[in-house]
Amino acid sequence: EKDGHDWFMRKEIFEQPRAVADSLIGRRGVGGLLQLDEMRLADEEIRDLDKIIIIACGTSFYAGMVAKYAIEHWTRTPVEVELASEFRYRDPIVDHTTLVVAISQSGETADTLQAIRHAKSQRAKVLAICNTNGSSIPRESDAVIYTHAGPEIGVASTKGFLTQLVACYLLALYVAQVKGTRYGDEINEIMGQLEAMPGHVETVLEQAESVYELARAHVDARSVLFLGRHAGYPVALEGALKLKELAYLHAEGFAAGELKHGPIALVEDGLPVLCVVPPRGRDQLHGKMLSGIQEVRARGARTICLAEEGDEKIVPYADHLIRLPEVPVLLQPLVAIVPLQLFACELASALGHDVDQPRNLAKSVTVE
Ligand code: F6R
């Protein structure tokens, strides 16, 4: 049932091209217009939205962070992203012009479920992004976008995350279409880029062996840092989470611009730092990231850089280089997270841990 893989997680990482493709099927309707079948919100309701609040936990929360960049950029609608466990207790400002988006792979996470109940009591509209048909969260929501990852068995979320990203992009484009903040041509172009992503994920997976080798070289690491900017920042956080939960290793993700505000003090000789480098097309972002990498390297860090094919400027600053396909910055998380998943899976495996059942963790967290 693991299709020749040693772990469900590894199998699920390799299923990602298919999972992404499946989550995109049937989204383009007549005249190329984007359609979300299960979306039970009227155009009117979408047009009247003043803000969107995304609530989720763990990996799903990081998908929500990526979604904020995409939704605000494409729709000009303000987005807040909040941990479900914090949302309800701070008396959030929510009313009928607020769309609350709950992201949950399992659909049973207690914190997220309680948060949507609170949102509904304040008359907000609730949309679920969920991988599990008929689970509690979509059942209690006004609308739902199902992801089509298929069952995720490994406790650490992988294909669940990629398909959540896809659903978030689709939601963003749909809102842009209804609100008219983007033209049809532009939406079509982005849909085309999304439809190319399964192939790009496949390309990244072809480098698995070299990522595994790199991971095995880190069995003695005691701490690992992850840096990113823009949509690469949540990728850094998610990469660090994977390493914590699977390898039981201290790992932390930072926004690269924050380094000088504290975290750089952690850098010492030999510290591995994984860096998600933005595409060169985003000139300023790219340049700023490079200077951050230079700074940690000057202090003895060993830099492992994820950078797009053809990026030559990164070469002098990378102790190890993992190549990513050339994709727009907003879509880059779909490819950039893959080597980090492979890295965590292999390192945990090399350390002798149970990758599918990490200690102290459960697949769905049904207590608050
Ligand atoms: C990490 C992981 C968890 C879940 C979190 C939310 O790999 O799997 O952090 O993402 O418990 O779960 P769902 O998405 O089911 O609400």
Side-chain angles (χ1 to χ4, degrees):
E1 60 203 70
K2 290 182 198 152
D3 284 347
H5 291 282
D6 50 352
W7 303 110
F8 279 109
M9 181 187 180
R10 213 186 299 269
K11 167 174 174 259
E12 289 164 1
I13 291 172
F14 280 87
E15 283 171 354
Q16 293 181 122
R18 188 207 42 76
V20 168
D22 285 353
S23 296
L24 284 165
I25 283 175
R27 306 300 194 181
R28 289 218 236 194
V30 253
L33 275 183
L34 195 59
Q35 58 179 26
L36 296 177
D37 283 343
E38 322 94 303
M39 181 87 169
R40 295 183 296 260
L41 293 181
D43 286 1
E44 202 79 307
E45 289 173 309
I46 292 177
R47 271 188 226 108
D48 289 345
L49 285 180
D50 281 341
K51 73 171 170 192
I52 296 177
I53 303 182
I54 302 176
I55 47 178
C57 305
T59 291
S60 302
F61 174 74
Y62 299 140
M65 284 179 70
V66 175
K68 176 182 166 84
Y69 288 87
I71 298 173
E72 289 193 338
H73 181 68
W74 290 332
T75 77
R76 310 310 299 152
T77 310
V79 180
E80 292 169 31
V81 192
E82 185 146 20
L83 292 168
S85 54
E86 289 295 321
F87 174 74
R88 191 159 57 113
Y89 300 100
R90 69 170 175 97
D91 197 10
I93 302 167
V94 177
D95 64 23
H96 65 283
T97 64
T98 313
L99 176 67
V100 168
V101 178
I103 308 178
S104 176
Q105 189 284 129
S106 64
E108 299 296 347
T109 301
D111 284 313
T112 311
L113 187 58
Q114 292 302 340
I116 66 172
R117 285 179 181 156
H118 179 75
K120 285 185 79 177
S121 75
Q122 307 293 302
R123 298 171 54 234
K125 289 269 172 272
V126 176
L127 168 86
I129 291 179
C130 185
N131 194 46
T132 314
N133 271 56
S135 55
S136 306
I137 291 171
R139 262 201 335 259
E140 295 198 22
S141 300
D142 299 301
V144 49
I145 300 176
Y146 278 112
T147 51
H148 298 278
E152 194 179 57
I153 293 166
V155 162
S157 187
T158 53
K159 59 179 183 169
F161 178 67
L162 260 72
T163 57
Q164 286 168 346
L165 292 175
V166 170
C168 290
Y169 295 131
L170 290 170
L171 171 65
L173 293 173
Y174 190 75
V175 173
Q177 177 177 284
V178 175
K179 283 197 164 195
T181 47
R182 297 281 149 173
Y183 295 110
D185 288 355
E186 207 177 347
I187 294 174
N188 263 320
E189 190 189 330
I190 301 166
M191 281 302 290
Q193 290 164 343
L194 271 173
E195 283 157 358
M197 293 311 288
H200 291 320
V201 174
E202 201 69 68
T203 306
V204 177
L205 288 169
E206 283 162 15
Q207 296 176 72
E209 273 312 321
S210 68
V211 177
Y212 292 159
E213 210 176 295
L214 182 72
R216 290 191 296 264
H218 284 83
V219 285
D220 294 323
R222 294 186 45 231
S223 173
V224 180
L225 301 189
F226 292 75
L227 298 181
R229 288 190 82 107
H230 196 273
Y233 168 42
V235 174
L237 296 174
E238 168 63 2
L241 179 63
K242 289 279 101 72
L243 214 50
K244 283 176 221 178
E245 64 182 334
L246 299 170
Y248 317 147
L249 195 62
H250 172 252
E252 251 189 288
F254 296 107
E258 276 293 292
L259 269 175
K260 50 190 170 302
H261 302 290
I264 199 158
L266 290 168
V267 177
E268 54 188 18
D269 232 22
L271 178 79
V273 182
L274 280 116
C275 311
V276 183
V277 182
R280 290 158 299 164
R282 297 300 297 266
D283 203 25
Q284 286 203 330
L285 274 181
H286 183 263
K288 294 251 161 66
M289 186 70 199
L290 251 53
S291 58
I293 296 173
Q294 219 169 331
E295 275 165 32
V296 294
R297 199 156 180 273
R299 289 163 179 81
R302 278 184 40 79
T303 56
I304 301 164
C305 298
L306 278 59
E308 71 180 359
E309 209 61 67
D311 182 344
E312 296 308 322
K313 285 193 180 148
I314 188 69
V315 176
Y317 307 117
D319 291 304
H320 190 98
L321 196 52
I322 297 169
R323 287 300 188 179
L324 301 176
E326 287 182 64
V327 298
V329 68
L330 282 171
L331 304 187
Q332 199 193 37
L334 283 171
V335 286
I337 193 58
V338 177
L340 305 184
Q341 298 167 336
L342 292 167
F343 185 85
C345 180
E346 182 66 13
L347 180 51
S349 197
L351 288 169
H353 301 325
D354 185 335
V355 170
D356 289 333
Q357 296 275 317
R359 68 183 183 201
N360 310 339
L361 295 176
K363 184 66 187 161
S364 45
V365 185
T366 51
V367 288
E368 271 187 83

